[in-house]
Amino acid sequence: RLAVSDDGDERDPSWSPDGTRIIFWSTRHTPQGNSEIYSVKTDGTDLRRLTNNDSADMSPVFSPDGSRIAFESGRDAGEGNIYVMGANGGSERRVTNHPASDRYPAWSPDGAKISFSSNRGGDYDIYIVDAGGGNERLLVSRLGHDTYSAWSPDGLKIVFSGSGGLFMVNAADGGGLTTLAGYGEDPEWAPLLPEITVSNSSIGLGSVNIGSSGTAIFSITNTGGKVLTVSSVVSSNARFSVLPSTTNLNGNISEVITVTFSPVASGLEIGTLTINHNDISSGAIEVSVS
């Protein structure tokens, strides 16, 4: 239990990108009833109050680099606007300025833009604004309310909760409307991850004369969206060597691995190449060689 308040609500928690803190809004302070934004370490210590004013501050969310927090507040004219402040509070500035209700901010992956919901047209629709303010534009307008937008990790898509289900659109122009589910609320995207594939599970080098060497190749490919780190390719048999034995691969990039066999005696030689990597969906991969 991270935040203990006998009388107040603690709601809408959001992780810092480095996983060390959680921000949320609370009505724990005196006088009760007005929500303010707080931050706490993930062990429940170092509770900090980040905002302090007479209007409700809610829906806090960290920027992708963890340096800023976007939130909604009714502190100035109108029902509510989107604000940005420093990760520890302070340097607060208003990003939107409209008499309607602007709510539920969400950062683009590059931290340059913020999507939000607003009832400027009657129903709640999805809008986008520069993180520093300006260049507001309507992205999605449908019958009924559309809220809780979330950017894809590559910044190309936005998913949102809407009347009739969970939907996805192109972030650039709001086109390509796709229905994802008949009901959904407050969606989040899975993060980009590395995904390893190996072209061969076994390699045969044929007959090689003693005193010479033979080679064969296979490839390692990253089919994911985040850097794949191959920390080592370890051979169980010294007669089989590999180059390179480490590599870092961006998404959809391959690396050719060369296996060299250098026999010192006649007869069958076998071994295993163990590929260690950072793809959490797969353990170490073994390639047999002979």
Side-chain angles (χ1 to χ4, degrees), residues 130-144:
D130 289 350
N135 294 321
E136 294 182 27
R137 60 185 174 93
L138 175 64
L139 184 71
V140 177
S141 180
R142 308 178 317 122
L143 290 175

Side-chain angles (χ1 to χ4, degrees), residues 12-37:
D12 290 345
S14 178
W15 290 89
S16 63
D18 64 4
T20 62
R21 302 193 70 87
I22 293 172
I23 51 175
F24 61 98
W25 65 259
S26 174
T27 59
R28 60 169 53 225
H29 50 273
T30 302
Q32 294 288 337
N34 183 47
S35 57
E36 302 288 357
I37 295 172

Side-chain angles (χ1 to χ4, degrees), residues 26-276:
S26 174
T27 59
R28 60 169 53 225
H29 50 273
T30 302
Q32 294 288 337
N34 183 47
S35 57
E36 302 288 357
I37 295 172
Y38 288 78
S39 171
V40 67
K41 285 186 177 179
T42 53
D43 62 1
T45 63
D46 193 27
L47 179 70
R48 304 176 186 175
R49 181 173 175 175
L50 304 185
T51 62
N52 187 359
N53 67 88
D54 294 333
S55 297
D57 296 333
M58 298 184 294
S59 303
V61 59
F62 275 105
S63 62
D65 64 1
S67 67
R68 296 166 291 171
I69 294 172
F71 62 101
E72 63 182 75
S73 177
R75 64 181 63 186
D76 293 314
E79 296 181 38
N81 284 286
I82 305 302
Y83 290 76
V84 170
M85 65 179 173
N88 293 315
S91 302
E92 299 172 4
R93 68 179 185 275
R94 185 167 59 183
V95 175
T96 66
N97 186 1
H98 197 278
S101 176
D102 298 341
R103 307 193 67 187
Y104 313 125
W107 292 88
S108 63
D110 61 3
K113 298 184 181 298
I114 296 173
S115 59
F116 62 97
S117 298
S118 180
N119 61 355
R120 303 175 183 191
D123 293 333
Y124 277 95
D125 297 316
I126 306 297
Y127 290 77
I128 292 178
V129 64
D130 289 350
N135 294 321
E136 294 182 27
R137 60 185 174 93
L138 175 64
L139 184 71
V140 177
S141 180
R142 308 178 317 122
L143 290 175
H145 296 307
D146 295 323
T147 58
Y148 296 115
S149 57
W151 297 70
S152 62
D154 60 9
L156 299 180
K157 301 287 186 179
I158 288 179
V159 65
F160 62 92
S161 305
S163 298
L166 196 66
F167 301 90
M168 183 172 64
V169 295
N170 298 327
D173 57 10
L177 180 68
T178 303
T179 303
L180 301 181
Y183 176 81
E185 189 167 309
D186 203 5
E188 292 187 18
W189 289 80
L192 290 176
L193 296 173
E195 297 180 32
I196 188 172
T197 61
V198 177
S199 61
N200 302 77
S201 59
S202 62
I203 298 171
L205 288 93
S207 297
V208 179
N209 291 327
I210 296 172
S212 62
S213 61
T215 61
I217 62 172
F218 69 97
S219 62
I220 298 173
T221 301
N222 178 15
T223 59
K226 196 171 185 178
V227 174
L228 172 70
T229 298
V230 176
S231 55
S232 63
V233 182
V234 180
S235 176
S236 65
N237 185 332
R239 303 279 74 79
F240 300 98
S241 60
V242 294
L243 282 175
S245 59
T246 63
T247 187
N248 291 300
L249 301 175
N250 292 321
N252 298 313
I253 299 297
S254 299
E255 178 82 57
V256 174
I257 307 298
T258 300
V259 182
T260 301
F261 174 48
S262 303
V264 295
S266 61
L268 175 67
E269 289 277 4
I270 60 173
T272 300
L273 306 179
T274 301
I275 304 170
N276 299 297

Side-chain angles (χ1 to χ4, degrees), residues 194-198 275-286:
E195 297 180 32
I196 188 172
T197 61
V198 177
I275 304 170
N276 299 297
H277 54 84
N278 66 335
D279 178 357
I280 62 173
S281 66
S282 173
I285 296 175
E286 294 186 346

